[in-house]
Amino acid sequence: MLKKRSYFKKRTLPYLLILPQLLITAAFFYWPALQGLVASFQLSDPFGFRTRFVWFDNFITLFQDPLYLKSFLITLVFSGSVAAVSICFGLFLATMANRALRMTAVTRTLLIWPYAIAPAISGVLWLFLMHPSYGVIAIAFKRWFGLDWNPLLESSDAMLLIVLASSWKNISYNFVFFLAGLQAVPRSLIEAAAMDGAGPFRRFWTITFPLLSPTLFFVTVMTIIFSFFESFGIIHTVTQGGPGGSTNILVYKVYQDGFIGLNLGSSSAQSIVLMALIILITVLQFKYVERKVQYTG
Amino acid sequence: MMVEKTPILDTFTYAALVLGIVVVGFPIFYAIIAATLPIEEVSRVPMPMVPGDQLFDNIGEAWRRGDLGTQLFNSFIMAGGITLGKIVVSLFGAFSIVYFDYRLRTIAFATVFCTLMLPIEVRILPTYEMAANIFGPLQSVWDALGLDGLIGWFAGHDIHVTLDYSLLDSYAGLILPLTASATCTFLFRQFFLTIPEELCEAAKMDGASPMTFFWKILVPLSKTNIAALVVIEFVYGWNQYLWPLLITTDPKMTTAVIGLKHLLPSPDDPPDWHIAMAGALLVVLPPVLVVLSMQRWFVKGLVEREK
């Protein structure tokens, strides 16, 4: 690991400096994670009087539970849709902003502020926009397309609502990264291609887009992490997992089963599955970043 | 980047940008309009798109009904505490990792770094239990060692020691568990590594102690990075949802983002969406202002955190 060639020779000071960080991580990260791991192998009765060690029973029950498998599928559909919508829009707007040289800074100001809005509040705003009786979008759907829109009763409508609320909140984040990525594309490459007769579209697909692939990968990973975990606020304010469990994504299910339903064993097992997923994502991300570093020298 | 003249594509570019800005801005525009209207107008179908004159009345009503004064104050304390805590703790941590050589250095760094893989969402219940009694782990150690018996033997009668201190419904509970930060530590570490060796050499030659070097040289040099992290972490802290939801049960201790839910009209209530939207505007205002006013540092910080 990297360190300075010139450093201070002190014995206790470095430990004192890192101590607060280590205490907090030990108390609120590692100890709870360990407790969760232990609890996932145990089965307790609802009153917490007796606990038995049951090996992988919680996990086996979990993966045989159709509700859990449904929640898994819902999470995949949800995060896939959020990633598709927010990445396409973010990339499109960033490409446009990067072309409009005189307006780039203004556009950025006008597009980054949704980043500051909490997912839960994004949910509230969209709930109002798409409210079956008062929302302007719901009314437009009804008048123009004759759609009987009701996210409070209809599963697919509810899913669309949370996808839109999450994507909207996430567009600005993706936009910022794509714009930074686009601005890092060497101008000389673009000019050389233009001189060889490549038009703007051809240049985008053959030069800019491949050079953006590390950014695209990073943004995809971050969007998936966002929709897996931080969308909790949206679900909790807008649908509470309903109607009929149709928006009950994994994180919300952990909360409901564990914190509301007090089913410790199952909830802990679900947490461990989520933990495994995020470890997998992080490892993949670092593997890829490593390759990128070698690539550029 | 425009290399050649493409008038049609340029027109398309600007049109698409304007459309994009309008689409992205629409939800908040719609909320602003709703927040200025009286209830008869808001519940008209479709809602008029011309602002009314009820903005301050609606904000006042939302403030009163949602107890937003208390909750916004709590949000400020929480966001401010998390921002300050994260930055201080990470600065110290990165300083320790980069500028000292000690046996557990690599392990310390790995320990901090691996917290990236443990977001609060994957350890909801046990973290809650930890906050409910931060001496819980010590109690287990105490019980395991049978220290009750030992003390009882000394005292001559039975004693049971209970170590119990709860962080529920407290500012410490809202802030402390969120102040460890792998990303901030990593960012400062990367930055410290780019600082020329000569600075530290010179400071040592002048007889400066490590802490003098830290406060007089490192911290001032890190100003831009600190500014960037202030924006990002303030927004992060302000927008926290799951953690405050878990550990606050007292409405006096909850944050504005969570409290807003109580302003949402349920199907049986009158459709007070104008009040809900007025409340929503108040709650999003502080982080939006922070992001817009510190845009330059924010973009830099966001993009550099990736590296």
Side-chain angles (χ1 to χ4, degrees), chain A residues 98-148:
Chain A
N98 194 42
R99 280 186 57 84
L101 287 180
R102 254 165 284 152
M103 268 173 69
T104 308
V106 185
T107 326
R108 203 178 62 185
T109 310
L110 289 171
L111 285 173
I112 63 168
W113 56 268
Y115 174 85
I117 291 179
I121 297 181
S122 164
V124 170
L125 296 178
W126 281 88
L127 182 63
F128 179 46
L129 275 173
M130 306 190 98
H131 191 279
S133 358
Y134 307 105
V136 69
I137 296 185
I139 292 164
F141 274 5
K142 218 172 273 181
R143 290 220 176 140
W144 296 339
F145 308 113
L147 280 180
D148 197 15

Side-chain angles (χ1 to χ4, degrees), chain B residues 10-33:
Chain B
D10 289 351
T11 321
F12 175 75
T13 302
Y14 284 101
L17 272 182
V18 171
L19 190 69
I21 291 167
V22 168
V23 168
V24 169
F26 187 70
I28 211 84
F29 167 77
Y30 194 63
I32 292 174
I33 299 284

Side-chain angles (χ1 to χ4, degrees), chain A residues 1-10 13-15 17-18 20-22 24-25 27-33 35-36 92-93 96-103 105 107-121 124-129 131 133-136 139 143 168-169 171 173 176-177 180 182-183 185 187 190-191 194 198-201 203 214 218 229-230 232-233 236-237 240 251 254-255 258-259 264 267 271 274-275 278-279 282 286 292, chain B residues 1-4 6 9-10 12-14 16-17 20-21 24-28 30-31 34 43 45-47 49 89-90 92-93 95-106 108-119 121-128 130 134 137 167 176-177 179-181 185 189 192-193 195 197 200-201 204 210-211 213 232 235 239 241-242 245-246 257 260-261 264 271 273 277 280 283-284 287-288 291-292 295 298-299 302-303 306:
Chain A
M1 195 181 68
L2 285 163
K3 64 161 192 261
K4 291 279 179 184
R5 269 174 288 118
S6 151
Y7 51 81
F8 294 103
K9 292 181 186 65
K10 283 275 182 294
L13 186 63
Y15 287 102
L17 286 167
I18 195 94
Q21 184 96 302
L22 290 183
I24 294 167
T25 48
F28 296 108
F29 288 75
Y30 290 106
W31 174 260
Q35 294 282 300
F92 176 71
L93 289 174
M96 293 297 127
N98 194 42
R99 280 186 57 84
L101 287 180
R102 254 165 284 152
M103 268 173 69
T107 326
R108 203 178 62 185
T109 310
L110 289 171
L111 285 173
I112 63 168
W113 56 268
Y115 174 85
I117 291 179
I121 297 181
V124 170
L125 296 178
W126 281 88
L127 182 63
F128 179 46
L129 275 173
H131 191 279
S133 358
Y134 307 105
V136 69
I139 292 164
R143 290 220 176 140
W168 178 72
K169 193 240 143 21
I171 284 177
Y173 182 87
V176 167
F177 276 98
L182 286 167
Q183 286 174 337
V185 172
R187 205 174 152 75
I190 304 284
E191 280 165 357
F201 290 101
R203 289 201 303 269
F218 171 80
F229 299 109
E230 279 158 66
F232 178 88
H236 191 256
T237 40
Q240 290 94 44
V251 170
V254 173
Y255 165 80
F259 206 73
L264 299 185
S267 165
S271 295
L274 276 180
M275 210 185 288
I278 193 163
I279 290 174
T282 317
F286 276 90
K292 184 181 86 180
Chain B
M1 255 177 252
M2 280 180 238
V3 181
E4 71 273 78
T6 48
L9 195 58
D10 289 351
F12 175 75
T13 302
Y14 284 101
L17 272 182
I21 291 167
V24 169
F26 187 70
I28 211 84
Y30 194 63
S43 43
V45 177
M47 191 185 94
M49 284 294 167
V89 162
S90 310
F92 280 152
F95 179 48
S96 162
I97 288 165
V98 174
Y99 278 98
F100 295 89
D101 192 19
Y102 52 102
R103 205 176 306 148
L104 299 178
R105 199 172 59 100
T106 316
F109 183 60
T111 310
V112 173
F113 195 70
C114 286
T115 57
L116 265 187
M117 292 180 248
L118 296 170
E121 288 84 358
V122 308
R123 48 188 169 82
I124 296 178
L125 269 175
T127 315
Y128 172 81
M130 183 69 198
I134 51 167
L167 292 178
L176 212 52
T179 48
S181 173
T185 313
R189 170 183 173 267
F192 289 169
L193 287 172
I195 293 176
E197 305 273 353
C200 177
E201 275 305 307
K204 280 201 321 201
M211 288 323 282
F213 174 73
I232 292 167
V235 172
N239 291 347
Y241 196 88
L242 183 55
L245 180 72
L246 294 183
V257 173
L260 190 68
K261 195 167 185 265
L264 288 184
W273 283 99
M277 290 299 127
V283 179
V284 300
V288 168
V291 163
L292 288 183
Q295 195 191 142
F298 160 68
V299 171
L302 201 61
V303 175
E306 173 201 0

Side-chain angles (χ1 to χ4, degrees), chain A residues 210-223:
Chain A
L211 284 173
L212 269 187
S213 67
T215 314
L216 185 66
F217 179 78
F218 171 80
V219 163
T220 312
V221 168
M222 294 313 282
T223 309

Side-chain angles (χ1 to χ4, degrees), chain A residues 59-74:
Chain A
F59 292 94
I60 295 168
T61 323
L62 198 58
F63 281 104
Q64 283 168 346
D65 179 3
L67 282 178
Y68 186 69
L69 297 177
K70 185 183 166 200
S71 170
F72 224 107
L73 193 70
I74 287 169

